[in-house]
Amino acid sequence: MKGGPSQEDIRRHNLGALLRFVHLRGPASRATLAESLGLNRSTIMALTADLTAAGLVREELPRKPGRRAGRPSLVVRPESTRVYVLAFDVGVDRLVVARVGLGGEVLDRREGARDRGADASDLVTALVSAARSLVRKAGRDAVCVGAAVAFPGIVRRADDAIMFGPNLDIGDLSLGEALSRRLGLGIPVAVCNDADLGALAEHERGAGVGCDNLIYLHGDVGVGGGIIVGGRLLGGDQGFGGEIGHMVVNPGGRPCACGAQGCLEAEVGERTLLAHAEREEGPDGREAVRAVVEAADWGDIVAREALHRVGTWLGIGVANLVNVFNPGLVVFGGTLRDVYLGSAAQVRSVLATNALAASREKVRLRTAALGDDTTLVGAAEFAFTEVLADPVQVLARLKAPEDTPVL
Amino acid sequence: MKGGPSQEDIRRHNLGALLRFVHLRGPASRATLAESLGLNRSTIMALTADLTAAGLVREELPRKPGRRAGRPSLVVRPESTRVYVLAFDVGVDRLVVARVGLGGEVLDRREGARDRGADASDLVTALVSAARSLVRKAGRDAVCVGAAVAFPGIVRRADDAIMFGPNLDIGDLSLGEALSRRLGLGIPVAVCNDADLGALAEHERGAGVGCDNLIYLHGDVGVGGGIIVGGRLLGGDQGFGGEIGHMVVNPGGRPCACGAQGCLEAEVGERTLLAHAEREEGPDGREAVRAVVEAADWGDIVAREALHRVGTWLGIGVANLVNVFNPGLVVFGGTLRDVYLGSAAQVRSVLATNALAASREKVRLRTAALGDDTTLVGAAEFAFTEVLADPVQVLARLKAPEDTPVL
């Protein structure tokens, strides 16, 4: 119930809105910006001048000229190679670190396997080493404006503490603090639940652009969820919201790492699929999940039956979410992308009998448009949050000489 | 990504914020308003003058003088008896119509039983007749600024069409339009899902004041839900969100009116409780539910067992919601208030084994603070939405002479 904003609040909001527009939608002419943001051209000109002076955008000729004859109008383009974030994607079996430019382009990346037995210290060392090599390769005048980690666990919003993450145990380590200190870039490193970031990424740049009510289901070893309600990520009271993997779909069913039985994760997670497919003894990880789906495609009865069983519980889970959220879209990412592709008929059949017609009729089921990079892109988007909220001030602070990294 | 608001937008916002403050929190001094709304005193004075001129508030001496010596300062008070809404609460067995003043006071009400066999036309006639008698008793200068109906069914936001409501079937009737036309007050009548309104009411005036993430579970004959996420009602893509009653908690369980099996409604609804308690043949309705809870209190083994069974599924449902939403509060209303009181130990026990510790530790379980009036109060709050969003303009329009009701 607060009163209205000040002129300075409005200016800051408008700077952020303009930068956010070109960050998400790409280079745009002043006319497009004026129309899209509901501002007049002189305001757009003043805002662009401020952002240009701060080194966040530049005006230039469009790379693809328009169809109209005559001199093409200038476009406002984000400074993609100069202003960047570091995005860390921590999977149970895989680590990715990327340097992502303003505008969302992945400028450079390091990727490697993670040994399931590796400890917290190994994790930090691997991430820092990859990040340093990315920072070194950035231009001298490039500025890192944020960093964030996608992590497969429940993260407390207040302090980024990891409350529960049985599939990748790092003990009491304060991951964000450790990374921030070791990187020495003078920026904090946020840690977020991987599926929450997946939801953000698909909403802003993936299958869910334009859809303000969507559910993202992420499979790694476990099953996570990220939920966008009315355009915003559902965090809940402490940031633990979206734990779809621990929704009980089969009371008295398979034991789950959380202590309950019949959670969605216990019924559709990697270990269960491999067990149903009689492949517990073989390799695990996303390649093993893909192998089951491929075997089923080739007609392997055991693999087909395994996907059918998993698809049934996935269908119950999706039906419950459709009834509770009335989403426009459900997106399957991580290993659930493959699992869904291998069990779509069964998921849809269970959905048809268990979801209310009103909510079921218009919901779309899709796989993650950003593929294996969904959670990585989400980490990058999260890392851009602060600079997009208050572009000029944040950049001025980060460019101060005492913050120059010494690597 | 729209640009900033205009001066007129800000003024309208501030008028609404001030009116909303005194509507929800009661009369307040200019000093309190200035501090709470983050505005300076001269702005508060100008806003108060505008609202006073429009007949929405008045300034007067506080009814309870403060402790400080000297002349007490004036308070801004909503015009509770002059500016009112009509709230309709349609239950399967009970109809309530109330005239609710700005500030939330129920000024007058009509209440009666509803025959489960009555049809849509009987329903409209009963509601209109009660509403007319309330309007007649209002003062000559009183203005009705809105009307809303709490209805036990799924309502489409775009046109208030009832998509699914097996417990109270009114066929194809467009309830809001029919009521608006027959009332002849020149105002539209909104129709909303009863549990959504219950959530709104408990959030604004009940057990959930100050809690921005809460879940309201409503029992009538069926089970409905209303969910507040980040301070806003979860509607979903078409307004069908919150259908917690059709979350499958027991796959392959009892058949539900929706066609699925083992929905929360099928496992904990009135008919199931009465069946478990071996009382299918006797009376039904909320008194029958209360009788089971009372019998259990007195030691009736069959009633206790019935509540234990229902409490188990209610616990699974609540655990799922706690994992997915990380709410600060779960509120039980309607007949579920009694059911929860009679099965709280079992609900909490199931919650303890099925919800993640992180989300479970801080969640509170409570009964509706507004008692049997939760959904009615929610309808009133919803009916006030428009006038609180743009007070002066809405009131000016409604006071125009051609809109004067002729009853």
Side-chain angles (χ1 to χ4, degrees), chain B residues 199-280:
Chain B
L200 200 67
E202 290 292 326
H203 175 55
E204 295 193 340
R205 298 189 180 276
V209 170
C211 176
D212 274 352
N213 296 286
L214 73 82
I215 290 171
Y216 174 74
L217 279 153
H218 185 73
D220 187 357
V221 171
V223 170
I227 301 168
I228 304 280
V229 172
R232 285 156 179 270
L233 191 64
L234 184 155
D237 242 34
Q238 295 135 288
F240 308 150
E243 284 301 322
I244 296 170
H246 298 286
M247 184 166 65
V248 175
V249 290
N250 182 20
R254 299 174 73 91
C256 183
C258 75
Q261 286 179 277
C263 294
L264 186 63
E265 170 166 321
E267 299 295 345
V268 314
E270 177 191 309
R271 291 187 189 99
T272 301
L273 178 69
L274 296 179
H276 288 334
E278 298 170 9
R279 293 173 185 227
E280 304 104 307

Side-chain angles (χ1 to χ4, degrees), chain B residues 92-178:
Chain B
V92 177
D93 299 316
R94 190 181 80 131
L95 301 178
V96 191
V97 186
R99 192 161 65 83
V100 180
L102 192 63
E105 196 187 340
V106 176
L107 301 168
D108 199 358
R109 65 193 289 158
R110 299 288 180 273
E111 187 166 343
R114 178 183 168 273
D115 176 1
R116 287 194 184 183
D119 69 6
S121 158
D122 297 338
L123 175 68
V124 173
T125 301
L127 295 175
V128 168
S129 149
R132 283 190 169 165
S133 96
L134 293 173
V135 171
R136 266 195 303 269
K137 281 187 61 191
R140 263 181 178 280
D141 64 343
V143 190
C144 181
V145 296
V149 185
F151 190 87
I154 301 182
V155 184
R156 183 162 57 198
R157 193 175 36 207
D159 59 359
D160 286 359
I162 290 152
M163 305 301 287
F164 182 68
N167 298 309
L168 201 167
D169 187 4
I170 58 166
D172 287 339
L173 175 72
S174 180
L175 182 60
E177 269 178 44

Side-chain angles (χ1 to χ4, degrees), chain B residues 344-362:
Chain B
Q346 179 62 4
V347 171
R348 286 176 182 276
S349 155
V350 174
L351 183 66
T353 48
N354 288 279
L356 296 165
S359 287
R360 188 183 70 226
E361 276 165 0
K362 298 229 170 141

Side-chain angles (χ1 to χ4, degrees), chain A residues 1-4 7 13-14 25 37 213 236-240 242-243 246 248-249 251 320 323-326 328 358-359, chain B residues 1-4 7 13-14 25 37 213 236-240 242-243 246 248-249 251 320 323-326 328 358-359:
Chain A
M1 281 191 273
K2 280 282 168 200
Q7 288 300 321
H13 169 91
N14 287 342
R25 312 258 181 103
L37 302 176
N213 296 285
D237 241 34
Q238 296 136 288
F240 307 150
E243 284 301 322
H246 297 286
V248 175
V249 290
N320 284 352
N323 286 336
V324 171
F325 287 96
N326 180 211
S359 287
Chain B
M1 279 192 274
K2 281 281 167 201
Q7 288 301 318
H13 169 90
N14 287 342
R25 313 261 180 102
L37 302 177
N213 296 286
D237 242 34
Q238 295 135 288
F240 308 150
E243 284 301 322
H246 298 286
V248 175
V249 290
N320 283 353
N323 286 338
V324 172
F325 287 96
N326 179 213
S359 287

